Amino acid sequence: MTKAVGHQVGTACPLDCPDSCSLSVSLSDGRVVALDGGHANPVTGGYICGKVRRFGDRMYGPDRLLQPGFRLGPPGSGEFRWVSWDEALARVADAMREARDGWGAESVLPYCYGGSNGLLTQDTADARLFRRFGASRLARTLCASTTGAANQALYGKMPSVSYADYAHAKLIIIWGANPSASGIHLVPFIRDAQRAGATLVVVDPRATPLARLAGLHLALRPGTDVAVALALHRHLFEHGLADEAFLAAHTTGASQLRERAREWTFERAASVAGLEPGAIARLADMYATASPAVIRCGWGLERNRNGGSAAAAILALPAVAGKFGVRGGGYTLSNSASWGITKSWIGAEEPPARLVNMNHLGRMLTGPIDPPVKVLFVYNCNPLATVPHQNLVRQGLEREDLTTIVFDQVMTDTARYADIVLPATTFLEQYDLARAYGPISLQIVRPVVDAIGEARPNVDVFAELEQRLGLDQTGEPRDEVEMMLRVIEGLPEGVGQAVRADAPAAPPFGTAPVQFVDVFPCTPDGKVHLFPDDLDRQAPLGLYAYQPDPATDRYPLALISPSNEKAISSSLYELVHRTAALSIHPDDAHAREIGEGDTVKVFNEMGTVTCHAAVSPTVRPGTVSLPKGLWGRHTLNGSTANALTPDTLTDIGAGACFNDARVQVERVAGGAGRGTASAAAGADPVERQAPGLLH
Ligand code: SF4
């Protein structure tokens, strides 16, 4: 990496990561030459992840989009004729008008997710434009809709235990999360707690870095978290260990939860989850007796048919066991709701247009849908890499009668299929507001360099499109600076003033609330709802029911696709240049005569991924793992894990079931690395040797 030179300026990271680090950016001759952690956000502690350290490679790299373009070759070719913004936006506006006139406004589908997670880059001028236009609405369900629905129903999204308070805990349970890859600033607090005598438990199918340091690791089968959590509840209820006084005073639905947990003996849960009964019993004993005890509920556990019931059962544990009311006790999920932000700044009502679940993009683009999608407007998102049923999505993007617009920073897999590409600024070239969802923090993101090429911020482009379509109104923010001021004005009392003054912003309860001391459930009656009726109605077999594993004799292996330390979902994967490796347990590899580094095909009835094998006991037997968010260039046949993931939905919250993919694996050819224990053939694609931060 290039050594830091020149002067340093501060900003913050708004990417889709829980931490929202403050950043110190080194500049020389108007270019970014290095990024490191700042100190404005105390949680950052002066360090950042390796992904964002290399962000300059994205800004100045060969994949950066510098100008608008019209596609020349066939869809997927990535060949473009570069044009002016005026030409490009005229064509976008024409396409939207033609679609509306011919098929109705709902034939335009805006499609965005957390590619840039700041408050300005999504749900500002974009939402105003598409609402006024009457476009189809998008249910953003790719991640967190399932855990979010459970957290909302049980607690009204009560603010979570802060990272710093993990240092006070005597028992820490990391359930379905890998803080070493995402939300890295939690790790030092966990290590501090361990040094002070706390026990760490990790519940995860993989031996994550923290699992290897844990006192107990439950490497359960994907999709069985609900069974394990209910076995803990049964133990608490049946052995007089439930906090009956707390349940009576602060909860509803305890008796129904108890009833649903009754069948889940340690033996039954262990049989379903592929664990030893004694291991679950050990966790149950620890959780019943330790205080403070905290659960970090992650997002890995939601990505299956039982994800909503699992999240609800896990979140219910601190209420049943009476773990609230002490510093370092309770649960952590997302803190995004802690600020009470209502997005009043959008300034346009949602129309009664159809609501499209983003997990069903392939169906929407290929099925007999009325009206059909005629214009797909993708921004902050790379759906060909990140959405289930990849081959159906690709088939849809190949449609000749579909106009696809992609507004992005780099030439993503999806952008290669676009009819029109529009270059977007990165967070180092624009204003934004970074709201963390791990720690509680809110910071201004400032441009530290001029926009590269002709890239423009989201707000400016959507506001101009609004004008071109005759949907603008006087007095409204028309560029990112005006919009930022409007957003700051719309923040809750006191918060906006602090942000504007560049002072540390905090909600009234501070940034390290103790649950049931400083913060309480935000449900209408202020109680914890342990058996919300609406969740019971939503779940196909009822709340806390276990739907069996979808494995078959033909496709017996569970494929998971977790995040890793190389990329943020699919963002920044353009900087990774090695072929991906499938992690497979030695027993499964041996049964298939697969050796380290061999070329393998991973397949089911939906598709095939050809890649290398990494034979490793870090993944449990019966489960294989490919990294989340890979691009086509990272495999030998251009398909990634999502070519194998079904577009079925979770029991609650209509989320994605990435971890319900069931596959078979076969050896195709021997590999150069066969028989070696090379770290480079690990689960994640390995970075090329960087020629320096900047080109
Ligand atoms: S991605 Fe996360 S850890 Fe990395 S700089 Fe951004 S907020 Fe910090």
Side-chain angles (χ1 to χ4, degrees):
M1 191 174 112
T2 305
K3 203 172 170 212
V5 291
H7 67 286
Q8 286 162 357
V9 291
T11 185
C13 175
L15 299 178
D16 189 0
C17 163
D19 292 4
S20 286
C21 293
S22 52
L23 300 176
S24 173
V25 184
S26 297
L27 303 175
S28 181
D29 296 329
R31 286 168 67 93
V32 173
V33 291
L35 288 103
D36 210 334
H39 292 276
N41 179 358
V43 173
T44 312
Y47 69 95
I48 59 170
C49 63
K51 316 168 201 183
V52 168
R53 273 182 197 282
R54 298 188 61 200
F55 201 83
D57 284 351
R58 159 164 279 217
M59 293 172 72
Y60 305 113
D63 293 297
R64 184 71 197 268
L65 284 170
L66 300 172
Q67 236 182 306
F70 296 155
R71 184 166 44 75
L72 288 172
S77 65
E79 294 166 29
F80 288 84
R81 173 169 74 85
W82 305 112
V83 301
S84 68
W85 270 102
D86 186 51
E87 274 181 277
L89 290 185
R91 193 184 279 193
V92 171
D94 283 348
M96 289 176 67
R97 263 191 230 102
E98 279 165 26
R100 182 182 59 195
D101 296 348
W103 304 88
E106 288 176 327
S107 65
V108 173
L109 176 62
Y111 200 91
C112 63
Y113 199 66
S116 185
N117 217 29
L119 292 181
L120 255 67
T121 40
Q122 196 161 280
D123 287 343
T124 53
D126 55 326
R128 203 173 65 193
L129 163 69
F130 291 121
R131 286 181 182 190
R132 286 184 182 156
F133 186 83
S136 286
R137 295 176 301 139
L138 186 72
R140 293 190 195 128
T141 48
L142 217 48
C143 179
S145 66
T146 299
T147 44
N151 194 18
Q152 178 65 37
L154 267 72
Y155 291 97
K157 295 191 174 174
M158 176 169 66
S160 292
V161 175
S162 72
Y163 284 8
D165 283 344
Y166 277 62
H168 298 275
K170 290 285 172 245
L171 175 66
I172 298 171
I173 303 175
I174 305 293
W175 201 317
N178 181 11
S180 305
S182 182
I184 58 173
H185 296 89
L186 177 56
V187 175
F189 296 109
I190 294 172
R191 301 293 287 146
D192 283 350
Q194 282 187 289
R195 278 188 282 273
T199 302
L200 174 65
V201 177
V202 173
V203 186
D204 199 299
R206 295 179 306 152
T208 59
L210 279 178
R212 287 172 233 161
L213 299 170
L216 179 63
H217 173 206
L218 298 188
L220 77 184
R221 272 192 197 113
T224 63
D225 307 76
V226 63
V228 175
L230 289 175
L232 302 184
H233 280 295
R234 181 183 186 279
H235 179 76
L236 292 167
F237 281 121
E238 304 295 322
H239 292 86
L241 299 166
D243 186 337
E244 297 294 350
F246 182 89
L247 291 173
H250 299 290
T251 73
T252 65
S255 57
Q256 289 127 302
L257 168 58
R258 179 179 186 153
E259 197 46 45
R260 294 278 161 102
R262 197 180 297 279
E263 63 185 295
W264 289 101
T265 59
F266 293 143
E267 289 72 22
R268 179 157 184 243
S271 153
V272 163
L275 298 169
E276 289 298 320
I280 305 177
R282 211 175 133 212
L283 174 57
D285 280 340
M286 283 187 214
Y287 193 64
T289 53
S291 181
V294 63
I295 300 176
R296 199 312 173 228
C297 178
W299 294 272
L301 59 92
E302 74 175 6
R303 294 172 185 176
N304 65 83
R305 66 216 174 272
N306 300 314
S309 288
I314 293 163
L315 293 176
L317 282 166
V320 172
K323 299 301 178 189
F324 293 122
V326 290
R327 192 165 291 284
Y331 76 91
T332 303
L333 187 50
S334 170
N335 263 319
S336 63
S338 297
W339 297 91
I341 290 172
T342 59
K343 300 189 180 174
S344 56
W345 50 76
I346 295 176
E349 291 299 312
E350 269 206 295
R354 71 177 168 194
L355 183 65
V356 173
N357 186 315
M358 71 187 307
N359 293 305
H360 289 161
L361 179 61
R363 298 185 196 190
M364 288 301 295
L365 296 182
T366 58
I369 307 290
D370 185 23
V373 177
K374 301 297 284 185
V375 172
L376 176 70
F377 198 134
V378 178
Y379 59 106
N380 300 347
C381 195
N382 179 10
L384 195 52
T386 56
V387 172
H389 213 332
Q390 186 175 75
N391 290 332
L392 204 58
V393 175
R394 193 188 306 277
Q395 195 184 316
L397 292 174
E398 285 170 348
R399 261 176 50 198
E400 290 295 340
D401 65 332
L402 173 73
T403 300
T404 302
I405 300 148
V406 174
F407 183 19
D408 209 318
Q409 299 161 3
V410 294
M411 184 65 78
T412 63
D413 282 1
T414 310
R416 300 180 77 80
Y417 284 79
D419 296 277
I420 305 165
V421 288
L422 304 173
T425 43
T426 69
F427 73 89
L428 294 176
E429 302 152 53
Q430 66 186 30
Y431 283 101
D432 212 328
L433 284 159
R435 175 189 50 176
Y437 57 89
I440 298 176
S441 74
L442 186 62
Q443 301 169 87
I444 290 187
V445 178
R446 291 183 180 76
V448 299
V449 291
D450 292 337
I452 312 287
E454 296 182 17
R456 295 178 66 187
N458 285 16
V459 171
D460 295 28
V461 170
F462 287 114
E464 184 175 337
L465 268 175
E466 212 176 24
Q467 240 167 353
R468 286 175 181 262
L469 289 161
L471 296 170
D472 57 316
Q473 294 178 9
T474 50
E476 291 183 324
R478 305 238 61 82
D479 64 30
E480 57 162 354
V481 175
E482 291 176 5
M483 184 59 83
M484 191 174 69
L485 294 173
R486 179 65 61 89
V487 169
I488 289 173
E489 264 170 39
L491 293 173
E493 184 73 24
V495 175
Q497 289 92 320
V499 169
R500 192 194 283 263
D502 216 4
F509 47 79
T511 56
V514 177
Q515 293 174 321
F516 279 84
V517 174
D518 304 308
V519 292
F520 296 87
C522 308
T523 49
D525 59 2
K527 294 196 171 191
V528 186
H529 295 170
L530 297 173
F531 197 84
D533 288 338
D534 56 334
L535 297 195
D536 192 41
R537 281 191 296 271
Q538 260 190 66
L541 302 182
L543 181 59
Y544 301 129
Y546 173 75
Q547 300 182 70
D549 195 290
T552 61
D553 289 346
R554 210 161 164 212
Y555 304 118
L557 299 171
L559 171 68
I560 58 172
S561 43
S563 61
N564 64 71
E565 75 284 4
K566 305 291 182 204
I568 303 163
S569 190
S570 73
S571 293
L572 298 170
Y573 253 132
E574 78 275 11
L575 306 179
V576 175
H577 295 264
R578 284 282 297 268
T579 300
L582 175 87
S583 290
I584 183 168
H585 190 274
D587 294 351
D588 294 320
H590 182 73
R592 292 164 178 78
E593 299 183 341
I594 291 169
E596 177 72 23
D598 280 357
T599 299
V600 293
K601 70 172 187 175
V602 193
F603 62 99
N604 61 18
E605 70 283 354
M606 301 174 66
T608 299
V609 177
T610 311
C611 60
H612 295 316
V615 180
S616 165
T618 56
V619 64
R620 59 160 286 128
T623 297
V624 291
S625 176
L626 268 171
K628 172 186 180 181
L630 291 174
W631 293 22
R633 63 177 73 167
H634 298 119
T635 66
L636 299 173
N637 69 339
S639 291
T640 66
N642 279 330
L644 309 170
T645 57
D647 63 358
T648 48
L649 301 177
T650 55
D651 51 349
I652 288 162
C657 288
F658 295 112
N659 292 348
D660 275 347
R662 295 296 178 267
V663 300
Q664 184 54 282
V665 182
E666 284 178 6
R667 179 172 176 272
V668 173
R674 184 170 182 178
T676 68
S678 162
D684 302 324
V686 178
E687 298 169 22
R688 65 179 165 155
Q689 281 295 308
L693 181 63
L694 302 183
H695 296 274

